[in-house]
Structures are given as structure tokens and as C-alpha cells.
Amino acid sequence: QVQLVQSGAEVKKPGASVKVSCKASGYTFISYGISWVRQAPGQGLEWMGWISAYNGNTNYAQKFQGRVTMTTETSTSTAYMEMTSLTSDDTAVYFCARANSGSSNFDSWGQGTLVTVSS
Amino acid sequence: QSVLTQPPSASGTPGQRVTISCSGSSSNIGSNYVYWYQQLPGTAPKLLMYRSNQRPSGVPDRFSGSKSGTSASLAISGLRSEDEADYYCAAWDDSLSGPVFGGGTKLTVL
């Protein structure tokens, strides 16, 4: 069965960076991409970007370009999302989800990682 | 402000049929498939409907989806208490070159 397991909760100070991991199992990692979606407290879902696990190609939402970097490590079937210059507005649960390029079909999701930005 | 528009709330009694709407534009719903996600309290979203009207394995046939023009809807018949959740629609947006979500609809089973 497809499973995406994310790293644990993080507490960061404003201006810091955070790196969240998403370890995939149960399928051929390089056959799909990984999207990252975040959800601020009490708010809806917001797509951040996508990375191909096959060749590392990325597609970032304009809002996050320059501040978010998505990478993958095929040897461990793990995807990473790093965000810099954190502010309190970045406090949210961050989800990874399996997805192909050009698709809104997120067929498997990680459990989510809470990132809290507070001084 | 979400690109796709959903009503913030919906409700029904057990056994009833409820419908949740999702309105977009020609660059998203009008030219691409719609996907629906169910998010139970405190959990990750789960794919509920793909390609506008297809149910993944394991999703009861009480759930159905449809799309017409730049709008889509999710119908739930035979409403059950365990259907109480947030529901989100999503579609690829050709102008933004990425997926967009609706703001979500909180379904309450009375």
C-alpha cells in the first residue's frame, strides 16, 4: 500500500528556515511526482509546488518562488521541502501528496507536519 | 480568496441527499477535470472523486460527482454521521500553471 510518512513537528523563529521530509513506500518512487500543500490553522488547502521524482523538475506556485526549494533523494525514496525566511504567516500544517505533472490528482497524502513560527 | 468558489457550509440529516457546489472559470474547471477531497477532523485530506465523476476504490457509491461548464458538484446520498467533514474541490488552472483549490465546505450532519 502506498504510504507517505512525514517528519515531525517543528518550531522555528521568524527569519529561520525549515526542511520537511516525506518518505514514500509501496510504489516505484520515480514513477510519480510529489506535491506540497499547506493548510494554515482553520483555513483551506494551498498548493505550494511539485517536483518530479524522476528527474527533479519543479513547478512552484508563484507565491513561493524564491523562498521554497523542493528536492528528492531517490536512494531513500524521500522528498524534501525547504522554506526560508519564515514568518508567522507560515505557521501551518504542511502535507506532501503523490501527484503527476500537470495534475490535481493527489491520490495519497502524508500525515502532515505542523510548522509553528513564533518568537 | 480561493480561485474556486465553494459554499462555506452545508448540512443535512441522516439519510438525506446533500450537494456541494464548486464554481470556477474557463481556465480551470472549464477545461480540466475536477477532483474532490474529504478531510475528516484532524486528518490529512483523502481523494474522494477524480476526473470529475470517478470514485477511487473504497469510496462508497453514495458519493457522486458531476461537472458542467465552469461548475462542478459533489453529491452525497444516504447521508451518514461519518460523512461530517470538510470537502474541497480542486482543478488544474491553465493560466496559473498549477492546481487550485476551493475554500472548502464544512458538512454538518444534524
Side-chain angles (χ1 to χ4, degrees):
Chain A
Q1 70 287 13
V2 175
Q3 209 171 7
L4 299 175
V5 179
Q6 299 183 223
S7 49
E10 304 262 13
V11 179
K12 296 292 182 181
K13 293 196 182 304
S17 299
V18 69
K19 190 170 187 177
V20 179
S21 69
C22 170
K23 184 172 176 60
S25 62
Y27 71 98
T28 302
F29 185 62
I30 60 172
S31 295
Y32 293 83
I34 295 287
S35 268
W36 290 87
V37 176
R38 76 176 185 179
Q39 185 172 37
Q43 302 301 309
L45 303 172
E46 180 177 31
W47 179 75
M48 301 176 64
W50 172 89
I51 183 167
S52 165
Y54 175 72
N55 58 16
N57 285 350
T58 54
N59 177 23
Y60 298 124
Q62 188 169 7
K63 175 177 179 177
F64 298 103
Q65 288 211 8
R67 205 162 67 91
V68 165
T69 302
M70 296 176 187
T71 57
T72 59
E73 189 175 77
T74 55
S75 62
T76 60
S77 298
T78 303
Y80 299 91
M81 186 284 298
E82 183 173 24
M83 180 179 285
T84 61
S85 303
L86 293 169
T87 72
S88 58
D89 288 342
D90 296 316
T91 293
V93 176
Y94 290 76
F95 295 100
C96 62
R98 191 176 77 163
N100 276 326
S101 175
S103 174
S104 303
N105 185 357
F106 308 118
D107 62 359
S108 291
W109 294 67
Q111 83 276 19
T113 296
L114 174 62
V115 176
T116 303
V117 183
S118 174
S119 55
Chain B
Q1 195 82 354
S2 302
V3 175
L4 304 182
T5 301
Q6 297 180 238
S9 64
S11 64
T13 56
Q16 266 192 331
R17 181 177 189 272
V18 296
T19 301
I20 297 172
S21 62
C22 176
S23 177
S25 68
S26 58
S27 64
N28 41 65
I29 293 178
S31 51
N32 294 291
Y33 290 120
V34 177
Y35 296 80
W36 289 91
Y37 298 89
Q38 177 192 58
Q39 186 176 32
L40 298 170
T43 69
K46 167 193 162 186
L47 179 65
L48 194 66
M49 199 71 57
Y50 67 98
R51 291 190 178 183
S52 303
N53 59 11
Q54 302 297 303
R55 285 186 308 277
S57 172
V59 174
D61 59 6
R62 301 185 295 105
F63 294 89
S64 62
S66 64
K67 187 187 100 164
S68 178
T70 59
S71 294
S73 62
L74 174 73
I76 310 171
S77 60
L79 199 61
R80 303 176 68 155
S81 58
E82 57 258 41
D83 298 333
E84 191 160 284
D86 293 327
Y87 292 84
Y88 294 90
C89 59
W92 184 266
D93 192 291
D94 295 330
S95 297
L96 298 175
S97 296
V100 291
F101 286 98
T105 298
K106 182 176 182 62
L107 175 64
T108 301
V109 180
L110 303 168

